[in-house]
Amino acid sequence: QVQLVESGGGLVQAGGSLRLSCVTSGDTFSSYAMGWFRQAPGKEREFVAAITWGGGNTRYADSVKGRFTTSRDNAKNTVYLQMDSLKPEDTAVYYCAAGRWIILEITPEKYEYWGQGTQVTVSS
């Protein structure tokens, strides 16, 4: 079992930055690949970013490529999502997710554990 808790969301103006954190507990963090997803009102949950268990490889949705960066600190059991040049269309609830035996997976169903989500609102 893995528990995930996201933090760092909030209200920011377009062009601003936020850094989300996801702290995990309960199992060996370094055994899990991590992903970030988001869900806007009335829309399906969509892939944002993923990172391998060691942190050496990442993958991003086209909509955030060049603006968002994910990283992890296995010593702190934490994964991060640095979000720069934010746009109003980035407004959503952001979730981190953990899964084993996956590599840079974009499908939500492939992840075993999820956090509760943190709201990100970007004003124009």
Side-chain angles (χ1 to χ4, degrees), residues 27-67:
D27 200 350
T28 305
F29 177 63
S30 58
S31 299
Y32 289 82
M34 302 297 295
W36 289 95
F37 293 79
R38 65 187 181 187
Q39 189 166 18
K43 295 187 176 181
E44 293 188 352
R45 191 168 297 190
E46 66 172 356
F47 169 76
V48 174
I51 187 166
T52 51
W53 65 270
N57 294 95
T58 56
R59 182 177 184 178
Y60 299 93
D62 288 343
S63 58
V64 307
K65 201 172 294 182
R67 300 187 298 121

Side-chain angles (χ1 to χ4, degrees), residues 19-100:
R19 188 175 83 153
L20 305 184
S21 299
C22 174
V23 179
T24 71
S25 61
D27 200 350
T28 305
F29 177 63
S30 58
S31 299
Y32 289 82
M34 302 297 295
W36 289 95
F37 293 79
R38 65 187 181 187
Q39 189 166 18
K43 295 187 176 181
E44 293 188 352
R45 191 168 297 190
E46 66 172 356
F47 169 76
V48 174
I51 187 166
T52 51
W53 65 270
N57 294 95
T58 56
R59 182 177 184 178
Y60 299 93
D62 288 343
S63 58
V64 307
K65 201 172 294 182
R67 300 187 298 121
F68 290 12
T69 304
T70 189
S71 60
R72 65 191 293 165
D73 185 339
N74 286 349
K76 295 183 178 180
N77 294 343
T78 303
V79 62
Y80 304 97
L81 184 67
Q82 176 67 40
M83 305 186 295
D84 299 317
S85 302
L86 282 161
K87 304 175 181 180
E89 51 264 44
D90 294 319
T91 296
V93 176
Y94 283 71
Y95 300 89
C96 65
R100 289 175 293 184

